[in-house]
Each structure stands twice: as C-alpha cells, then as structure tokens.
C-alpha cells in the first residue's frame, strides 16, 4: 500500500470576531498540529464534537483554507469534497448534465461527446438512470441530489474523496443507501475517503480507521473495533457513551 495523502503538523488559526469595536482581535488556533496519512483504498473516519475543527481540516486539505504552518502532501490529482447539504451544493439554475460536465469543460480537453459519455457513466455509477441528465436539482429528492453530488465528485476520476457529513441531511433509510453506494464506489474505483461524521455507528460500519478529534487535536486513532472497545482517551469514551453504542 502507498500513501495517497500526508498531513504533517498542520496548524490553522482564524481571527476572532470582535464583540465591540474596541476589542482586540485575537487569533484562535483551530487546528493545533494535525498529522496523519491516508493510504490508497482506505476509508478513514474523522469524528468529534461540533466546532472541533473537522471541516476546517477538510478545507485545509483541499487548499480552501491556508495553514499557518505544516505540510499537506497529495499523491493524487483532483481530490474532491462531498458536502453535507445536497440542496445548497448544486447549482439550482442548471440541469444535471451541465452540472456534471462543468468541471470537464474547465479542466480537460474532452470533446462534447466524450463529456456526455463520462457524465452518463458517472451518473449510472452513482445509481441514477441517465434520464436524470435533463432534470433540474429542484426536481430531485435529497437522496437523488446527493447521488448527483457524488457523480459530480467522480467526474475528474479522483482517487481521494473528502466527505463532510455526507448523509447527515438525509432520512435514515436514504442514509443507508448512500453509505452503501460510497462503500461500493470505494471498492470499485479503489478510492480513498476521509469520512467526517457525528455518527460513530456509521463510522464503525464503514471505516477502516477512525480518528477522534477534540479542540483541533487528534486525541486517538486506530481500527474502530479496537478504539470503540478500548478507548484510551476519556473524550472518546464520552463520545461513545453519548452515541449510545457503548454498552459494556
Ligand atoms: N472562516 C472562519 N473564520 C473564523 N472562524 C472560523 C472559520 N471557519 C471555522 N471557524 C471556527 O473554527 C472552529 C472549527 O470549525 P469547523 O467548521 O472546522 O468545525 P466542525 O468540527 O466541522 O464542526 P461541525 O461538526 O459543527 O461541522 C469553530 O469554532 C468555527 O467557529
Ligand atoms: Mg463541519
């Protein structure tokens, strides 16, 4: 196995909001020295309370947020993000075909025919019939929209996906379908996935490894089965208790 991503001692800080105009703005460190690797074909879960820095980490990996220090080394091209809310992440003014083909127009020299073929292929891989190419996002259910988002994320043949709470906005039965799809796609396309979630149960079922984050620090990581049975950190214990899956 070889590495698809290396994150080395990454620090990210933001300027604090002023409460009054007289306040000094302090820098708040949100990521405090994050280091980990993701191997080819690995699904890594990232869990932790709201505000602990999970999305900031995903953004830093994609270059949307600039680290103060540290290093992020990609060993693959075109890593893609899948967002929580399939309602706001699709352009409402464009049909599915346009949405899928758009990245190809800017970033490849594929012909119009080749773009259409790729769009159909990815849509079908994401579990939707090609008839949906002509649909607008508003004509799709939440689950169908998230399938379009997943198809879109696959258009540039990425090897690394960053999925930030990709099923949190969906009904439970739809959640299960989308998780199954991600699992199948991972296997078929040999993807690596950083899977951000509040749901420790989902992470247990889906992920090869889990990282527990607290206040911008990864407090422990390992195989879910081990971590869930024998958490080393009291914060992990707290998360497990809160999730209701920890009975012993
Ligand atoms: N652009 C920004 N400017 C200032 N502060 C920010 C910015 N983005 C995030 N933060 C702060 O950084 C902290 C971490 O936010 P982040 O979105 O990474 O958390 P999270 O773990 O993804 O939470 P959630 O589970 O709710 O999505 C929060 O305190 C947030 O207010
Ligand atoms: Mg977040």
């Amino acid at each position: 196995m070889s590495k698809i991503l290396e994150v080395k001692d990454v620090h990210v800080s933001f300027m604090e909001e002023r409460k009054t105009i007289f306040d000094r703005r302090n820098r708040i460190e949100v990521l405090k020295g994050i280091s980990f690797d993701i191997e080819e074909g690995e699904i890594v879960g990232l869990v932790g309370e709201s505000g602990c820095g999970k999305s900031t980490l995903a953004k830093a990996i994609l270059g949307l947020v600039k680290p103060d220090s540290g290093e992020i080394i990609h060993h693959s091209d075109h890593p893609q993000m899948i967002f929580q809310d399939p309602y706001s992440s699709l352009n409402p003014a464009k049909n599915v075909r346009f949405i899928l083909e758009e990245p190809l127009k800017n970033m490849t020299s594929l012909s119009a025919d080749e773009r259409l073929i790729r769009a159909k292929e990815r849509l079908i891989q994401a579990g939707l019939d090609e008839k949906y190419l002509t649909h607008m996002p508003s004509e799709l259910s939440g689950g169908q929209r998230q399938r379009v988002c997943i198809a879109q994320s696959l258009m540039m043949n990425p090897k690394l996906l960053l999925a930030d709470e990709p099923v949190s906005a969906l009904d439970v039965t739809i959640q299960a379908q989308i998780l199954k799809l991600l699992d199948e796609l991972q296997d078929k396309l040999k993807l690596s996935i950083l899977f951000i979630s509040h749901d420790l149960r989902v992470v247990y079922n889906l992920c090869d490894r889990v990282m527990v984050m607290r206040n911008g620090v990864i407090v422990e990581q390992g195989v879910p089965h081990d971590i869930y049975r024998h958490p080393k950190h009291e914060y992990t214990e707290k998360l497990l208790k809160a999730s209701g899956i920890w009975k012993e």
Side-chain angles (χ1 to χ4, degrees), residues 194-226:
L194 179 67
F195 184 85
I196 298 175
S197 179
H198 276 98
D199 192 333
L200 274 71
R201 205 179 290 266
V202 165
V203 167
Y204 188 89
N205 291 324
L206 186 69
C207 299
D208 304 304
R209 183 151 60 90
V210 57
M211 305 191 295
V212 181
M213 191 178 206
R214 182 197 194 190
N215 289 337
V217 176
I218 293 173
V219 296
E220 68 177 306
Q221 57 174 308
V223 179
H225 186 80
D226 300 340

Side-chain angles (χ1 to χ4, degrees), residues 170-198:
L170 304 172
D171 289 349
V172 176
T173 51
I174 311 297
Q175 280 191 7
Q177 293 170 15
I178 298 292
L179 291 168
K180 183 158 167 278
L181 172 67
L182 282 175
D183 202 22
E184 286 166 2
L185 288 172
Q186 185 282 326
D187 194 42
K188 201 181 293 170
L189 305 174
K190 303 287 168 252
L191 299 171
S192 305
I193 304 178
L194 179 67
F195 184 85
I196 298 175
S197 179
H198 276 98

Side-chain angles (χ1 to χ4, degrees), residues 14-15 30 49-56 165 198:
F14 295 114
M15 291 306 284
V30 173
E49 279 169 333
S50 185
C52 72
K54 304 181 298 295
S55 297
T56 302
E165 305 267 9
H198 276 98

Side-chain angles (χ1 to χ4, degrees), residues 9-12 29-34 214-217:
D9 198 22
V10 165
H11 291 254
V12 170
E29 198 169 42
V30 173
L31 299 183
K32 302 168 185 167
I34 300 285
R214 182 197 194 190
N215 289 337
V217 176

Side-chain angles (χ1 to χ4, degrees), residues 6 10 24 30 34 42 44 60 69 84 112 127 140 142 145 148 151 169 177 202 206 210 230 240:
E6 296 175 68
V10 165
R24 254 192 43 204
V30 173
I34 300 285
E42 198 181 23
V44 179
S69 63
Q84 171 170 1
L140 304 175
R145 285 183 211 201
V148 172
Q177 293 170 15
V202 165
L206 186 69
V210 57
H230 307 290
L240 286 163

